[in-house]
Amino acid sequence: MVLVSDGKIVEIAASAARPVPAGTQTLDLGDSMIAPGYLDLHIHGSAGFDVMDDNAEALPVVERLLARHGVTGYYPTTVTAPLDKTLRALERLADAIDSLRHADNTAEHRARPLGIHLEGPFISHARKGVHPAANLLPPKLETFERLWQAARGHVRMMTIAPELEGAAEVIVEAARRGVCVSLGHSDADFEATERGVAAGARHATHTFNAMRPLDHRSPGILGAALTDSRLSADIIADGVHLDPAIVKLFAAAKGAERTVLITDATAATGMPDGRYHLGSLEVEVKDGRCMADDKLAGSVLTMDKAVRNLARFAGWSLSQAVTAASRNPARVAGFANKGVLAAGADADFVVLNPDGDVLRTFIGGLECSA
Ligand SMILES: [Zn+2]
């Protein structure tokens, strides 16, 4: 039984054997498992649309699909593109975030954009994955400032390669502005990674993917990401980007507190095999693999599936895996009122069956219709 008032949780009770205060809504969810709403800090699109699309339909369509899969809040994530294209996308995303702030509680309920994740342009040529080489840029405060202004301060996460010249300066400044600086798309050695952490980085992006591989005599960025307790880290647990045994290794290294699930989902998510786009790239999806230039180009993963996979691959209980999609990303993002089921927290939660399938999703106490 969940008691909700004004979009916040008042109480989670075993039964309604208590007087309910006026203005409080009671949701009787029987014996089902209730979990905090999932947060996806790295997602490019879904259901045929990319978050960088210049199309008013794009975000609502993406957000409805997210809500169906238990995601109540997310960071729309840019891929490296020509700078002016990125700037325009950031303006549109900032508009979406601002309009949500002004929307009242009765607005249509779909996953909410809570901030922007900038993936690139400050990433390594050596580990760019499918990000277009021509659009990568060296880290510079001036460029960061242009991105920041276009996004009107809504950049909340940034993936950057710490070994690039100028990276430390940009990391310091981004961290000062409250951005979660995440290390990734990087060929850094161990020392350069630690310098990035010293400058203010505190997370790692799709760990193992687009990183210098782990070597037992040259630990590199992975050696740091896996062992440095100042860093939380995320993974794409779709069974394609990482072998299940590597997911288990990761979970053992980062533990229950610092393991974060992302989807890195693209427009192809929730769609049949075929050709889609990722930012300005064309990608082809076949048998659950999203490829461009013979490289993995994002995923078709949904967060509910990532949770089930993590439980299975790492041997974690479902409720432990759920924290990697809720409490832990909320902490990474600095949302004290999200990712937890507690009095005063936002009434964003999901109802799960014992297999981890999402039965119902509530955002601000209101159910998202399927
Ligand atoms: Zn991505």
Side-chain angles (χ1 to χ4, degrees), residues 42 44 77 79 119 131 185 206 264 298:
H42 189 145
H44 300 285
T77 304
V79 285
E119 191 182 17
H131 291 244
H185 281 283
H206 45 52
D264 202 2

Side-chain angles (χ1 to χ4, degrees), residues 65-320:
L65 183 131
L66 287 175
R68 280 203 295 281
H69 292 279
V71 175
T72 54
Y74 74 109
Y75 282 173
T77 304
T78 59
V79 285
T80 309
L83 188 58
D84 51 324
K85 190 178 180 235
T86 304
L87 295 171
R88 285 199 302 276
L90 292 175
E91 285 166 15
R92 287 192 296 272
L93 293 172
D95 289 343
I97 294 166
D98 281 337
S99 70
L100 179 82
R101 266 187 200 171
H102 304 130
D104 66 32
N105 234 12
T106 57
E108 187 189 352
H109 286 272
R110 5 180 253 244
R112 296 178 169 182
L114 301 172
I116 299 166
H117 181 164
L118 271 182
E119 191 182 17
F122 307 137
I123 60 175
S124 159
H125 278 267
R127 302 285 170 195
K128 63 183 170 42
V130 298
H131 291 244
N135 304 134
L136 303 184
L137 295 171
K140 278 204 184 98
L141 283 179
E142 190 200 334
T143 314
F144 174 69
E145 187 63 34
R146 288 185 68 190
L147 296 161
W148 179 264
Q149 293 296 340
R152 300 198 297 279
H154 289 304
V155 175
R156 306 313 304 150
M157 194 157 185
M158 179 174 66
T159 294
I160 185 169
E163 72 277 21
L164 301 179
E165 201 183 321
E169 237 184 324
V170 171
I171 292 172
V172 167
E173 184 56 25
R176 195 183 67 78
R177 296 184 192 192
V179 176
C180 173
V181 177
S182 187
L183 304 174
H185 281 283
S186 162
D187 199 39
D189 61 16
F190 188 86
E191 291 71 23
T193 307
E194 292 295 297
R195 281 196 295 276
V197 177
R202 45 193 184 81
H203 190 76
T205 296
H206 45 52
T207 311
F208 289 97
N209 296 118
M211 284 180 178
R212 169 191 289 229
L214 185 64
D215 181 284
H216 55 294
R217 274 190 281 273
S218 172
I221 180 170
L222 268 166
L226 293 172
T227 61
D228 191 325
S229 60
R230 294 170 296 178
L231 293 173
S232 50
D234 61 56
I235 49 166
I236 310 168
D238 60 354
V240 172
H241 281 75
L242 301 176
D243 187 276
I246 294 295
V247 172
K248 190 172 186 181
L249 167 71
F250 175 89
K254 295 317 289 180
E257 306 280 318
R258 295 181 188 82
T259 292
V260 173
L261 292 170
I262 56 165
T263 64
D264 202 2
T266 64
T269 305
M271 302 292 282
D273 285 358
R275 300 188 79 79
Y276 299 93
H277 55 285
L278 168 60
S280 44
L281 292 172
E282 180 139 322
V283 299
E284 177 154 24
V285 178
K286 227 178 135 188
D287 306 325
R289 285 169 185 268
C290 189
M291 310 284 291
D293 287 344
D294 283 332
K295 289 184 187 134
L296 284 170
S299 83
V300 292
L301 181 63
T302 55
M303 193 55 94
D304 53 336
K305 183 152 190 221
V307 168
R308 294 193 295 271
N309 283 347
L310 175 62
R312 198 152 55 93
F313 299 165
W316 283 10
S317 67
L318 182 61
S319 56
Q320 196 173 11

Side-chain angles (χ1 to χ4, degrees), residues 8-30:
K8 305 274 182 198
I9 295 173
V10 177
E11 189 184 327
I12 311 244
S15 73
R18 71 193 280 288
V20 176
T24 302
Q25 182 195 355
T26 308
L27 300 166
D28 188 352
L29 304 170

